[in-house]
């Protein structure tokens, strides 16, 4: 290896490989609703619109989502930074997070889990495949309805690098004219 590169702890590679925006996942089951903060998600397919994500079994959200087979993935911006951290550091098992963080729950169209009004976008999801839940806590959802604020077109999203540190999405670069049409 060139001397310009140093060994790096494998358990810290998340700092470089966790580029997706932090999201707030809302859920509901039998009259109870909850929210968790999530960084471990990935787009898996466009049509149908599949998103995979890891929800630790110790999270209260795990039970609500596994039972209801639904959730909403909400996209917060930097305006909600402290809320994102607060929601990720307490549990719906003993806290009403909508009340504690002053968030507004709106009815969704296709699922029972609520939308979070203060977020830039809300993606209503139904559980598509639970085969990897037992082994990896990995849920595969289909996005069945999406709501997105008209402005700003490029919201300032939060991207977690571990250790309590976030990156903020920034400069927009377009190379559209260099893409094959089928790759767009
Ligand atoms: C920035 C950040 C990212 C997180 N990402 C995840 C994640 O991808 N998956 C997960 O299971 N927990 C994740 N967590 C932890 C949960 O949000 C946390 O355990 C939360 O308190 C669970 O709430 P609940 O018990 O009400 O479901 C994250 C927390 C923070 C602060």
């Amino acid at each position: 290896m060139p001397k310009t590169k140093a060994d790096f702890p494998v358990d810290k590679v998340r700092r470089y490989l966790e580029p997706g925006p932090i999201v707030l996942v809302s859920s509901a089951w039998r009259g109870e609703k909850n929210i968790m903060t999530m960084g471990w998600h990935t787009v898996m397919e466009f049509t149908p619109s599949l998103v995979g994500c890891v929800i630790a079994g110790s999270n209260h959200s795990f039970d609500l989502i596994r039972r209801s087979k639904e959730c909403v993935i909400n996209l917060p911006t930097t305006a909600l930074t402290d809320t994102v951290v607060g929601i990720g550091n307490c549990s719906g098992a003993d806290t009403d997070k909508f009340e504690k963080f002053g968030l507004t729950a709106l009815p969704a169209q296709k699922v029972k889990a609520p939308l979070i009004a203060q977020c830039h976008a809300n993606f209503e999801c139904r559980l598509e495949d639970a085969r990897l839940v037992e082994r990896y806590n990995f849920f595969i959802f289909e996005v069945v309805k999406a709501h997105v604020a008209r402005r700003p077109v490029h919201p300032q999203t939060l991207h977690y690098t571990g250790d309590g540190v976030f990156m903020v999405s920034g400069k927009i670069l377009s190379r559209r004219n260099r893409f094959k049409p089928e790759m767009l």
Side-chain angles (χ1 to χ4, degrees):
M1 256 302 149
K3 287 208 169 57
T4 49
K5 288 184 185 159
D7 282 349
F8 190 79
V10 291
D11 63 336
K12 298 269 190 311
V13 298
R14 61 182 303 182
R15 180 169 160 190
Y16 302 100
L17 293 180
E18 253 186 56
I22 282 294
V23 295
L24 293 174
V25 177
S26 47
S27 52
W29 176 244
R30 294 196 171 160
E32 183 186 357
K33 56 188 186 316
N34 192 30
I35 319 172
M36 68 171 278
T37 300
M38 171 186 284
W40 295 358
H41 57 80
T42 179
V43 168
M44 297 178 70
E45 182 56 274
F46 305 137
T47 317
S49 176
L50 298 184
V51 176
C53 52
V54 176
I55 302 174
S58 52
N59 288 346
H60 191 58
S61 303
F62 180 94
D63 290 324
L64 302 191
I65 293 170
R66 206 181 41 169
R67 288 174 207 277
S68 64
K69 301 185 169 52
E70 294 176 347
C71 71
V72 177
I73 296 176
N74 304 271
L75 183 72
T77 59
T78 49
L80 290 178
T81 305
D82 290 341
T83 301
V84 158
V85 174
I87 287 173
N89 282 274
C90 65
S91 178
D94 53 25
T95 308
D96 178 340
K97 299 198 203 180
F98 279 93
E99 194 184 310
K100 178 168 180 172
F101 297 100
L103 295 172
T104 313
L106 297 177
Q109 284 182 20
K110 301 206 166 176
V111 300
K112 291 206 175 71
L115 314 178
I116 302 175
Q118 287 81 358
C119 285
H120 179 84
N122 318 92
F123 308 128
E124 300 182 25
C125 297
R126 283 202 194 112
L127 184 59
E128 161 68 21
D129 191 332
R131 277 175 292 182
L132 294 177
V133 170
E134 198 162 319
R135 186 151 185 193
Y136 296 110
N137 295 334
F138 191 78
F139 292 70
I140 300 176
F141 294 108
E142 179 179 354
V143 181
V144 291
K145 180 79 195 171
H147 314 261
V148 179
R150 293 178 197 283
R151 295 216 151 50
V153 177
H154 299 291
Q156 278 208 319
T157 49
L158 292 162
H159 301 254
Y160 193 49
T161 64
D163 228 15
V165 175
F166 298 84
M167 279 189 313
V168 176
S169 60
K171 203 167 158 184
I172 303 299
L173 298 175
S174 176
R175 291 289 183 278
R176 201 181 157 81
N177 56 0
R178 300 179 82 98
F179 273 64
K180 291 186 205 161
E182 66 271 25
M183 295 303 291
L184 286 171

